Amino acid sequence: GENVEQHPSTLSVQEGDSAVIKCTYSDSASNYFPWYKQELGKRPQLIIDIRSNVGEKKDQRIAVTLNKTAKHFSLHITETQPEDSAVYFCAATPWGNNRLAFGKGNQVVVIP
Amino acid sequence: NAGVMQNPRHLVRRRGQEARLRCSPMKGHSHVYWYRQLPEEGLKFMVYLQKENIIDESGMPKERFSAEFPKEGPSILRIQQVVRGDSAAYFCASSPLDRGPYEQYFGPGTRLTVT
């Protein structure tokens, strides 16, 4: 099955700087890659997703890039703010599959 | 439009008891997924259901765990004879009919503690 790994496990950034989190996946058939943000004790929230027919997608301060050849995709957060502090999970799923395979998460800490 | 609802939010059970977790999907969503999250771990897929059908239960432990999504009412994840290792947060997610497994929206979770 699909195996998703995230790096780094913890990332500290100064407020206003950019944060980048990278995920790698194993199944070349995967074609859907969402990112979820989970604050402590809260539900995972879908913040952005990308399909394999595009290489980049942007939504305000958040962007995701996909490299299908290298089988990795990254989340970019610009102009970070304290409320961006959370655990971010990436996931992947192949076409026709029913489940999301999640990475273990990245703790992002934005230092005011 | 209410989001995905789960109850109870917290559940404490003694070893050997049964746990019932409920999930009401978002309005208009007909796909329900259950995931388990252990402390400091990612979410692990358990089961995928549509109304009155279990589509994929490959992530469910073979014993003691079952799930249903009846024609009327919420989806239920049932854990019989709970053990300490069942302590975790259980999340359900739902997605719209025309999105398949994509665009899954999560509920607030049920935190199960087995004493």
Side-chain angles (χ1 to χ4, degrees), chain B residues 22-69:
Chain B
R22 295 174 188 78
C23 169
S24 296
M26 286 178 71
K27 187 177 179 181
H29 287 194
S30 59
H31 302 254
V32 167
Y33 311 81
W34 286 93
Y35 293 85
R36 177 163 61 178
Q37 185 177 37
L38 295 170
E40 298 184 10
E41 292 281 327
L43 296 125
K44 299 292 186 188
F45 169 82
M46 299 181 75
V47 62
Y48 162 46
L49 310 105
Q50 295 181 18
K51 286 281 187 183
E52 299 184 282
N53 277 309
I54 298 174
I55 307 300
D56 180 355
E57 57 182 346
S58 58
M60 289 271 273
K62 292 289 186 284
E63 297 176 351
R64 302 189 297 108
F65 285 72
S66 62
E68 62 177 5
F69 189 14

Side-chain angles (χ1 to χ4, degrees), chain A residues 32 36 38 43 95 98-99, chain B residues 33 58 102-104 106-107:
Chain A
Y32 176 67
Y36 285 83
Q38 187 177 31
R43 74 184 74 194
W95 178 259
N98 302 307
R99 74 192 75 169
Chain B
Y33 311 81
S58 58
Y102 309 131
E103 294 185 26
Q104 294 184 27
F106 282 80

Side-chain angles (χ1 to χ4, degrees), chain A residues 16-38:
Chain A
D17 286 351
S18 294
V20 181
I21 307 168
K22 180 178 171 180
C23 278
T24 59
Y25 62 98
S26 61
D27 191 341
S28 56
S30 285
N31 72 336
Y32 176 67
F33 309 93
W35 283 91
Y36 285 83
K37 174 184 179 183
Q38 187 177 31

Side-chain angles (χ1 to χ4, degrees), chain B residues 17-19 64-65 77-82 86 90 112:
Chain B
Q17 290 185 319
E18 178 179 288
R64 302 189 297 108
F65 285 72
L77 180 67
R78 182 181 176 208
I79 311 172
Q80 295 178 290
Q81 299 175 332
V82 296
D86 296 333
Y90 292 83
L112 173 65

Side-chain angles (χ1 to χ4, degrees), chain A residues 74-94:
Chain A
S74 299
L75 178 71
H76 304 254
I77 307 172
T78 58
E79 299 171 21
T80 52
Q81 300 167 6
E83 53 265 37
D84 295 329
S85 295
V87 177
Y88 291 81
F89 292 97
C90 63
T93 188

